[in-house]
Amino acid sequence: MYKIEILFGLGVLITWTSEGFGAYIKYYSNLIGRQITGITLVQSIGVFSRIGYFLQAFAIAWILDKNLYSNNRFYIVIYGELIILIGLIILSRFGLILSKYIYIIHSKLKIIDKLNIEHIKIDKIVFKRPKLIQVIAYIFLYLGAFFPLYLQLLYSDFAARSIALSGIINGVSTLILISYIDIKYANQIEGNGESILQEELIAARYVALIILISMQSLIYLCIK
């Protein structure tokens, strides 16, 4: 049973740390004026996110199939959300430094042109107040990831349908993030040469997690 917990935790950590890391790469790319390269690097990092999501989805399917933690799904979801939060805190400390070394490694491998970035001062990102649409997008993104377990807290017979519904919820978040926010980011970069969207999106992740944990706790108390 502990193997499933480890697999689930590892999948969550890889998935959402990789996803969050993309914002730091974009922010650093903005600092050095390589925004298009940064977007491509984010897409390459997305490979790790897919691997993590597969591990996470497999663990969730195993839990539902074997009817594990039938009385403790609340704790499993909280466990996953806390891992996401830990990943975000680690990124807040090391995200920009790792972004710099990703550029250095790609430069040494001659995948991209050699960059003179040693002189660039690396500061911590000052979070900006997120927009409502950004928070909603991440609520749907995280909700879709854990929705099968959320629904199992209410209706234990909805295992298969909950997995299908999680795909729909993730689709809504993807629609907002890609069709609206990413296009707005690209437009700001093209027009002004810079954007504060990444600072807002990083903050939006924290707000979305707090809302989900609060909402889940309220549901759990109502069930009890």
Side-chain angles (χ1 to χ4, degrees), residues 151-182:
L151 194 59
Q152 287 286 301
L153 290 169
L154 301 174
Y155 306 104
S156 58
D157 296 332
F158 273 56
R161 280 166 284 187
S162 66
I163 294 175
L165 288 172
S166 71
I168 296 174
I169 295 173
N170 264 328
V172 174
S173 69
T174 302
L175 184 65
I176 298 173
L177 289 169
I178 295 179
S179 300
Y180 174 72
I181 293 176
D182 279 0

PDB file of all heavy atoms in Angstrom, residues 151-182:
ATOM      1  N   LEU A 151     -14.568  13.100  -6.136  1.00  0.00           N
ATOM      2  CA  LEU A 151     -15.905  12.536  -6.337  1.00  0.00           C
ATOM      3  C   LEU A 151     -16.118  11.300  -5.477  1.00  0.00           C
ATOM      4  O   LEU A 151     -17.231  11.036  -5.016  1.00  0.00           O
ATOM      5  CB  LEU A 151     -16.123  12.205  -7.814  1.00  0.00           C
ATOM      6  CG  LEU A 151     -17.577  11.928  -8.228  1.00  0.00           C
ATOM      7  CD1 LEU A 151     -18.454  13.128  -7.918  1.00  0.00           C
ATOM      8  CD2 LEU A 151     -17.653  11.591  -9.715  1.00  0.00           C
ATOM      9  N   GLN A 152     -15.036  10.557  -5.251  1.00  0.00           N
ATOM     10  CA  GLN A 152     -15.150   9.364  -4.421  1.00  0.00           C
ATOM     11  C   GLN A 152     -15.474   9.713  -2.967  1.00  0.00           C
ATOM     12  O   GLN A 152     -15.992   8.885  -2.227  1.00  0.00           O
ATOM     13  CB  GLN A 152     -13.846   8.570  -4.470  1.00  0.00           C
ATOM     14  CG  GLN A 152     -13.628   7.846  -5.788  1.00  0.00           C
ATOM     15  CD  GLN A 152     -14.520   6.642  -5.923  1.00  0.00           C
ATOM     16  OE1 GLN A 152     -14.468   5.733  -5.114  1.00  0.00           O
ATOM     17  NE2 GLN A 152     -15.347   6.629  -6.953  1.00  0.00           N
ATOM     18  N   LEU A 153     -15.162  10.956  -2.573  1.00  0.00           N
ATOM     19  CA  LEU A 153     -15.539  11.379  -1.230  1.00  0.00           C
ATOM     20  C   LEU A 153     -17.053  11.479  -1.083  1.00  0.00           C
ATOM     21  O   LEU A 153     -17.602  11.333   0.000  1.00  0.00           O
ATOM     22  CB  LEU A 153     -14.923  12.746  -0.915  1.00  0.00           C
ATOM     23  CG  LEU A 153     -13.407  12.800  -0.715  1.00  0.00           C
ATOM     24  CD1 LEU A 153     -12.945  14.251  -0.674  1.00  0.00           C
ATOM     25  CD2 LEU A 153     -13.002  12.081   0.554  1.00  0.00           C
ATOM     26  N   LEU A 154     -17.743  11.728  -2.224  1.00  0.00           N
ATOM     27  CA  LEU A 154     -19.190  11.922  -2.198  1.00  0.00           C
ATOM     28  C   LEU A 154     -19.950  10.695  -2.690  1.00  0.00           C
ATOM     29  O   LEU A 154     -20.920  10.270  -2.065  1.00  0.00           O
ATOM     30  CB  LEU A 154     -19.550  13.137  -3.069  1.00  0.00           C
ATOM     31  CG  LEU A 154     -18.917  14.470  -2.658  1.00  0.00           C
ATOM     32  CD1 LEU A 154     -19.245  15.546  -3.684  1.00  0.00           C
ATOM     33  CD2 LEU A 154     -19.411  14.890  -1.293  1.00  0.00           C
ATOM     34  N   TYR A 155     -19.491  10.147  -3.842  1.00  0.00           N
ATOM     35  CA  TYR A 155     -20.198   9.021  -4.456  1.00  0.00           C
ATOM     36  C   TYR A 155     -19.195   7.925  -4.791  1.00  0.00           C
ATOM     37  O   TYR A 155     -18.441   8.028  -5.756  1.00  0.00           O
ATOM     38  CB  TYR A 155     -20.936   9.461  -5.726  1.00  0.00           C
ATOM     39  CG  TYR A 155     -21.871  10.628  -5.500  1.00  0.00           C
ATOM     40  CD1 TYR A 155     -21.517  11.901  -5.929  1.00  0.00           C
ATOM     41  CD2 TYR A 155     -23.089  10.453  -4.858  1.00  0.00           C
ATOM     42  CE1 TYR A 155     -22.365  12.981  -5.726  1.00  0.00           C
ATOM     43  CE2 TYR A 155     -23.946  11.528  -4.648  1.00  0.00           C
ATOM     44  CZ  TYR A 155     -23.576  12.785  -5.087  1.00  0.00           C
ATOM     45  OH  TYR A 155     -24.415  13.850  -4.872  1.00  0.00           O
ATOM     46  N   SER A 156     -19.194   6.887  -4.004  1.00  0.00           N
ATOM     47  CA  SER A 156     -18.185   5.834  -4.141  1.00  0.00           C
ATOM     48  C   SER A 156     -18.366   4.991  -5.396  1.00  0.00           C
ATOM     49  O   SER A 156     -17.462   4.263  -5.788  1.00  0.00           O
ATOM     50  CB  SER A 156     -18.212   4.921  -2.911  1.00  0.00           C
ATOM     51  OG  SER A 156     -19.505   4.342  -2.748  1.00  0.00           O
ATOM     52  N   ASP A 157     -19.524   5.068  -6.050  1.00  0.00           N
ATOM     53  CA  ASP A 157     -19.785   4.227  -7.219  1.00  0.00           C
ATOM     54  C   ASP A 157     -19.442   4.902  -8.538  1.00  0.00           C
ATOM     55  O   ASP A 157     -19.716   4.359  -9.597  1.00  0.00           O
ATOM     56  CB  ASP A 157     -21.273   3.825  -7.246  1.00  0.00           C
ATOM     57  CG  ASP A 157     -21.668   2.971  -6.050  1.00  0.00           C
ATOM     58  OD1 ASP A 157     -20.777   2.261  -5.530  1.00  0.00           O
ATOM     59  OD2 ASP A 157     -22.834   3.026  -5.628  1.00  0.00           O
ATOM     60  N   PHE A 158     -18.837   6.095  -8.474  1.00  0.00           N
ATOM     61  CA  PHE A 158     -18.599   6.860  -9.688  1.00  0.00           C
ATOM     62  C   PHE A 158     -17.134   6.801 -10.139  1.00  0.00           C
ATOM     63  O   PHE A 158     -16.634   7.751 -10.719  1.00  0.00           O
ATOM     64  CB  PHE A 158     -19.000   8.324  -9.463  1.00  0.00           C
ATOM     65  CG  PHE A 158     -20.447   8.589  -9.728  1.00  0.00           C
ATOM     66  CD1 PHE A 158     -21.425   7.879  -9.069  1.00  0.00           C
ATOM     67  CD2 PHE A 158     -20.836   9.556 -10.644  1.00  0.00           C
ATOM     68  CE1 PHE A 158     -22.767   8.116  -9.294  1.00  0.00           C
ATOM     69  CE2 PHE A 158     -22.170   9.808 -10.877  1.00  0.00           C
ATOM     70  CZ  PHE A 158     -23.141   9.090 -10.203  1.00  0.00           C
ATOM     71  N   ALA A 159     -16.461   5.704  -9.896  1.00  0.00           N
ATOM     72  CA  ALA A 159     -15.022   5.620 -10.184  1.00  0.00           C
ATOM     73  C   ALA A 159     -14.710   5.868 -11.658  1.00  0.00           C
ATOM     74  O   ALA A 159     -13.895   6.729 -12.000  1.00  0.00           O
ATOM     75  CB  ALA A 159     -14.485   4.263  -9.740  1.00  0.00           C
ATOM     76  N   ALA A 160     -15.346   5.092 -12.538  1.00  0.00           N
ATOM     77  CA  ALA A 160     -15.044   5.207 -13.976  1.00  0.00           C
ATOM     78  C   ALA A 160     -15.468   6.563 -14.520  1.00  0.00           C
ATOM     79  O   ALA A 160     -14.724   7.220 -15.268  1.00  0.00           O
ATOM     80  CB  ALA A 160     -15.735   4.079 -14.736  1.00  0.00           C
ATOM     81  N   ARG A 161     -16.653   7.015 -14.158  1.00  0.00           N
ATOM     82  CA  ARG A 161     -17.142   8.298 -14.657  1.00  0.00           C
ATOM     83  C   ARG A 161     -16.329   9.465 -14.114  1.00  0.00           C
ATOM     84  O   ARG A 161     -16.172  10.485 -14.791  1.00  0.00           O
ATOM     85  CB  ARG A 161     -18.625   8.459 -14.293  1.00  0.00           C
ATOM     86  CG  ARG A 161     -19.573   7.707 -15.224  1.00  0.00           C
ATOM     87  CD  ARG A 161     -20.975   7.597 -14.667  1.00  0.00           C
ATOM     88  NE  ARG A 161     -21.040   6.583 -13.600  1.00  0.00           N
ATOM     89  CZ  ARG A 161     -22.177   6.191 -13.039  1.00  0.00           C
ATOM     90  NH1 ARG A 161     -23.333   6.709 -13.430  1.00  0.00           N
ATOM     91  NH2 ARG A 161     -22.170   5.270 -12.097  1.00  0.00           N
ATOM     92  N   SER A 162     -15.801   9.320 -12.919  1.00  0.00           N
ATOM     93  CA  SER A 162     -15.006  10.403 -12.348  1.00  0.00           C
ATOM     94  C   SER A 162     -13.729  10.634 -13.142  1.00  0.00           C
ATOM     95  O   SER A 162     -13.276  11.769 -13.292  1.00  0.00           O
ATOM     96  CB  SER A 162     -14.675  10.104 -10.887  1.00  0.00           C
ATOM     97  OG  SER A 162     -13.821   8.976 -10.787  1.00  0.00           O
ATOM     98  N   ILE A 163     -13.128   9.563 -13.652  1.00  0.00           N
ATOM     99  CA  ILE A 163     -11.917   9.693 -14.469  1.00  0.00           C
ATOM    100  C   ILE A 163     -12.232  10.413 -15.778  1.00  0.00           C
ATOM    101  O   ILE A 163     -11.480  11.278 -16.236  1.00  0.00           O
ATOM    102  CB  ILE A 163     -11.302   8.306 -14.740  1.00  0.00           C
ATOM    103  CG1 ILE A 163     -10.787   7.700 -13.422  1.00  0.00           C
ATOM    104  CG2 ILE A 163     -10.163   8.407 -15.748  1.00  0.00           C
ATOM    105  CD1 ILE A 163     -10.266   6.289 -13.553  1.00  0.00           C
ATOM    106  N   ALA A 164     -13.387  10.080 -16.386  1.00  0.00           N
ATOM    107  CA  ALA A 164     -13.798  10.751 -17.621  1.00  0.00           C
ATOM    108  C   ALA A 164     -14.078  12.235 -17.371  1.00  0.00           C
ATOM    109  O   ALA A 164     -13.668  13.105 -18.156  1.00  0.00           O
ATOM    110  CB  ALA A 164     -15.033  10.072 -18.193  1.00  0.00           C
ATOM    111  N   LEU A 165     -14.743  12.538 -16.271  1.00  0.00           N
ATOM    112  CA  LEU A 165     -15.058  13.930 -15.943  1.00  0.00           C
ATOM    113  C   LEU A 165     -13.803  14.736 -15.637  1.00  0.00           C
ATOM    114  O   LEU A 165     -13.745  15.935 -15.912  1.00  0.00           O
ATOM    115  CB  LEU A 165     -16.020  13.974 -14.752  1.00  0.00           C
ATOM    116  CG  LEU A 165     -17.462  13.536 -15.024  1.00  0.00           C
ATOM    117  CD1 LEU A 165     -18.243  13.442 -13.724  1.00  0.00           C
ATOM    118  CD2 LEU A 165     -18.142  14.513 -15.976  1.00  0.00           C
ATOM    119  N   SER A 166     -12.783  14.089 -15.077  1.00  0.00           N
ATOM    120  CA  SER A 166     -11.532  14.799 -14.785  1.00  0.00           C
ATOM    121  C   SER A 166     -10.887  15.302 -16.072  1.00  0.00           C
ATOM    122  O   SER A 166     -10.272  16.372 -16.101  1.00  0.00           O
ATOM    123  CB  SER A 166     -10.569  13.903 -14.021  1.00  0.00           C
ATOM    124  OG  SER A 166     -10.042  12.885 -14.851  1.00  0.00           O
ATOM    125  N   GLY A 167     -11.034  14.523 -17.160  1.00  0.00           N
ATOM    126  CA  GLY A 167     -10.507  14.952 -18.451  1.00  0.00           C
ATOM    127  C   GLY A 167     -11.219  16.187 -18.968  1.00  0.00           C
ATOM    128  O   GLY A 167     -10.597  17.082 -19.550  1.00  0.00           O
ATOM    129  N   ILE A 168     -12.529  16.265 -18.739  1.00  0.00           N
ATOM    130  CA  ILE A 168     -13.293  17.432 -19.159  1.00  0.00           C
ATOM    131  C   ILE A 168     -12.868  18.667 -18.375  1.00  0.00           C
ATOM    132  O   ILE A 168     -12.680  19.751 -18.930  1.00  0.00           O
ATOM    133  CB  ILE A 168     -14.801  17.171 -18.969  1.00  0.00           C
ATOM    134  CG1 ILE A 168     -15.257  16.018 -19.881  1.00  0.00           C
ATOM    135  CG2 ILE A 168     -15.614  18.433 -19.268  1.00  0.00           C
ATOM    136  CD1 ILE A 168     -16.687  15.586 -19.656  1.00  0.00           C
ATOM    137  N   ILE A 169     -12.699  18.497 -17.065  1.00  0.00           N
ATOM    138  CA  ILE A 169     -12.294  19.618 -16.212  1.00  0.00           C
ATOM    139  C   ILE A 169     -10.900  20.116 -16.596  1.00  0.00           C
ATOM    140  O   ILE A 169     -10.644  21.320 -16.673  1.00  0.00           O
ATOM    141  CB  ILE A 169     -12.328  19.201 -14.729  1.00  0.00           C
ATOM    142  CG1 ILE A 169     -13.770  18.903 -14.308  1.00  0.00           C
ATOM    143  CG2 ILE A 169     -11.736  20.288 -13.835  1.00  0.00           C
ATOM    144  CD1 ILE A 169     -13.896  18.317 -12.927  1.00  0.00           C
ATOM    145  N   ASN A 170     -10.000  19.183 -16.862  1.00  0.00           N
ATOM    146  CA  ASN A 170      -8.663  19.573 -17.322  1.00  0.00           C
ATOM    147  C   ASN A 170      -8.729  20.301 -18.656  1.00  0.00           C
ATOM    148  O   ASN A 170      -7.941  21.212 -18.924  1.00  0.00           O
ATOM    149  CB  ASN A 170      -7.766  18.338 -17.464  1.00  0.00           C
ATOM    150  CG  ASN A 170      -6.914  18.107 -16.227  1.00  0.00           C
ATOM    151  OD1 ASN A 170      -6.524  19.051 -15.566  1.00  0.00           O
ATOM    152  ND2 ASN A 170      -6.640  16.867 -15.913  1.00  0.00           N
ATOM    153  N   GLY A 171      -9.685  19.875 -19.493  1.00  0.00           N
ATOM    154  CA  GLY A 171      -9.856  20.534 -20.789  1.00  0.00           C
ATOM    155  C   GLY A 171     -10.254  21.983 -20.644  1.00  0.00           C
ATOM    156  O   GLY A 171      -9.797  22.855 -21.407  1.00  0.00           O
ATOM    157  N   VAL A 172     -11.100  22.290 -19.655  1.00  0.00           N
ATOM    158  CA  VAL A 172     -11.505  23.678 -19.400  1.00  0.00           C
ATOM    159  C   VAL A 172     -10.295  24.518 -18.999  1.00  0.00           C
ATOM    160  O   VAL A 172     -10.099  25.636 -19.495  1.00  0.00           O
ATOM    161  CB  VAL A 172     -12.588  23.735 -18.298  1.00  0.00           C
ATOM    162  CG1 VAL A 172     -12.894  25.181 -17.922  1.00  0.00           C
ATOM    163  CG2 VAL A 172     -13.858  23.034 -18.766  1.00  0.00           C
ATOM    164  N   SER A 173      -9.462  23.989 -18.106  1.00  0.00           N
ATOM    165  CA  SER A 173      -8.277  24.727 -17.668  1.00  0.00           C
ATOM    166  C   SER A 173      -7.307  24.935 -18.824  1.00  0.00           C
ATOM    167  O   SER A 173      -6.721  26.017 -18.972  1.00  0.00           O
ATOM    168  CB  SER A 173      -7.578  23.980 -16.522  1.00  0.00           C
ATOM    169  OG  SER A 173      -7.001  22.773 -16.988  1.00  0.00           O
ATOM    170  N   THR A 174      -7.139  23.911 -19.648  1.00  0.00           N
ATOM    171  CA  THR A 174      -6.249  24.025 -20.809  1.00  0.00           C
ATOM    172  C   THR A 174      -6.753  25.081 -21.784  1.00  0.00           C
ATOM    173  O   THR A 174      -5.962  25.853 -22.350  1.00  0.00           O
ATOM    174  CB  THR A 174      -6.131  22.671 -21.527  1.00  0.00           C
ATOM    175  OG1 THR A 174      -5.642  21.689 -20.608  1.00  0.00           O
ATOM    176  CG2 THR A 174      -5.188  22.762 -22.705  1.00  0.00           C
ATOM    177  N   LEU A 175      -8.067  25.121 -21.962  1.00  0.00           N
ATOM    178  CA  LEU A 175      -8.668  26.120 -22.850  1.00  0.00           C
ATOM    179  C   LEU A 175      -8.359  27.526 -22.366  1.00  0.00           C
ATOM    180  O   LEU A 175      -7.976  28.401 -23.156  1.00  0.00           O
ATOM    181  CB  LEU A 175     -10.185  25.906 -22.914  1.00  0.00           C
ATOM    182  CG  LEU A 175     -10.973  26.811 -23.866  1.00  0.00           C
ATOM    183  CD1 LEU A 175     -10.567  26.541 -25.304  1.00  0.00           C
ATOM    184  CD2 LEU A 175     -12.468  26.613 -23.679  1.00  0.00           C
ATOM    185  N   ILE A 176      -8.479  27.755 -21.053  1.00  0.00           N
ATOM    186  CA  ILE A 176      -8.205  29.084 -20.504  1.00  0.00           C
ATOM    187  C   ILE A 176      -6.714  29.408 -20.583  1.00  0.00           C
ATOM    188  O   ILE A 176      -6.322  30.506 -21.018  1.00  0.00           O
ATOM    189  CB  ILE A 176      -8.682  29.175 -19.042  1.00  0.00           C
ATOM    190  CG1 ILE A 176     -10.202  28.977 -18.957  1.00  0.00           C
ATOM    191  CG2 ILE A 176      -8.307  30.530 -18.436  1.00  0.00           C
ATOM    192  CD1 ILE A 176     -10.726  28.884 -17.539  1.00  0.00           C
ATOM    193  N   LEU A 177      -5.870  28.449 -20.177  1.00  0.00           N
ATOM    194  CA  LEU A 177      -4.432  28.704 -20.102  1.00  0.00           C
ATOM    195  C   LEU A 177      -3.800  28.905 -21.472  1.00  0.00           C
ATOM    196  O   LEU A 177      -2.953  29.782 -21.661  1.00  0.00           O
ATOM    197  CB  LEU A 177      -3.739  27.557 -19.364  1.00  0.00           C
ATOM    198  CG  LEU A 177      -4.008  27.473 -17.857  1.00  0.00           C
ATOM    199  CD1 LEU A 177      -3.482  26.160 -17.296  1.00  0.00           C
ATOM    200  CD2 LEU A 177      -3.375  28.648 -17.131  1.00  0.00           C
ATOM    201  N   ILE A 178      -4.191  28.087 -22.430  1.00  0.00           N
ATOM    202  CA  ILE A 178      -3.558  28.138 -23.754  1.00  0.00           C
ATOM    203  C   ILE A 178      -4.245  29.132 -24.685  1.00  0.00           C
ATOM    204  O   ILE A 178      -3.593  29.938 -25.352  1.00  0.00           O
ATOM    205  CB  ILE A 178      -3.533  26.736 -24.392  1.00  0.00           C
ATOM    206  CG1 ILE A 178      -2.632  25.808 -23.569  1.00  0.00           C
ATOM    207  CG2 ILE A 178      -3.043  26.802 -25.840  1.00  0.00           C
ATOM    208  CD1 ILE A 178      -2.560  24.398 -24.087  1.00  0.00           C
ATOM    209  N   SER A 179      -5.581  29.080 -24.722  1.00  0.00           N
ATOM    210  CA  SER A 179      -6.313  29.905 -25.687  1.00  0.00           C
ATOM    211  C   SER A 179      -6.470  31.352 -25.247  1.00  0.00           C
ATOM    212  O   SER A 179      -6.783  32.217 -26.065  1.00  0.00           O
ATOM    213  CB  SER A 179      -7.706  29.309 -25.938  1.00  0.00           C
ATOM    214  OG  SER A 179      -7.607  28.000 -26.442  1.00  0.00           O
ATOM    215  N   TYR A 180      -6.256  31.629 -23.973  1.00  0.00           N
ATOM    216  CA  TYR A 180      -6.406  33.016 -23.504  1.00  0.00           C
ATOM    217  C   TYR A 180      -5.112  33.548 -22.880  1.00  0.00           C
ATOM    218  O   TYR A 180      -4.529  34.520 -23.364  1.00  0.00           O
ATOM    219  CB  TYR A 180      -7.555  33.108 -22.496  1.00  0.00           C
ATOM    220  CG  TYR A 180      -7.693  34.469 -21.862  1.00  0.00           C
ATOM    221  CD1 TYR A 180      -8.177  35.549 -22.598  1.00  0.00           C
ATOM    222  CD2 TYR A 180      -7.310  34.684 -20.536  1.00  0.00           C
ATOM    223  CE1 TYR A 180      -8.295  36.808 -22.024  1.00  0.00           C
ATOM    224  CE2 TYR A 180      -7.421  35.945 -19.953  1.00  0.00           C
ATOM    225  CZ  TYR A 180      -7.920  37.002 -20.697  1.00  0.00           C
ATOM    226  OH  TYR A 180      -8.023  38.236 -20.131  1.00  0.00           O
ATOM    227  N   ILE A 181      -4.649  32.895 -21.813  1.00  0.00           N
ATOM    228  CA  ILE A 181      -3.515  33.443 -21.054  1.00  0.00           C
ATOM    229  C   ILE A 181      -2.223  33.391 -21.850  1.00  0.00           C
ATOM    230  O   ILE A 181      -1.463  34.367 -21.874  1.00  0.00           O
ATOM    231  CB  ILE A 181      -3.380  32.691 -19.714  1.00  0.00           C
ATOM    232  CG1 ILE A 181      -4.601  32.993 -18.827  1.00  0.00           C
ATOM    233  CG2 ILE A 181      -2.091  33.102 -19.004  1.00  0.00           C
ATOM    234  CD1 ILE A 181      -4.619  32.238 -17.517  1.00  0.00           C
ATOM    235  N   ASP A 182      -1.930  32.267 -22.515  1.00  0.00           N
ATOM    236  CA  ASP A 182      -0.687  32.170 -23.280  1.00  0.00           C
ATOM    237  C   ASP A 182      -0.663  33.150 -24.449  1.00  0.00           C
ATOM    238  O   ASP A 182       0.386  33.731 -24.764  1.00  0.00           O
ATOM    239  CB  ASP A 182      -0.503  30.734 -23.791  1.00  0.00           C
ATOM    240  CG  ASP A 182       0.058  29.818 -22.725  1.00  0.00           C
ATOM    241  OD1 ASP A 182       0.309  30.293 -21.602  1.00  0.00           O
ATOM    242  OD2 ASP A 182       0.229  28.611 -23.003  1.00  0.00           O
TER     243      ASP A 182
END
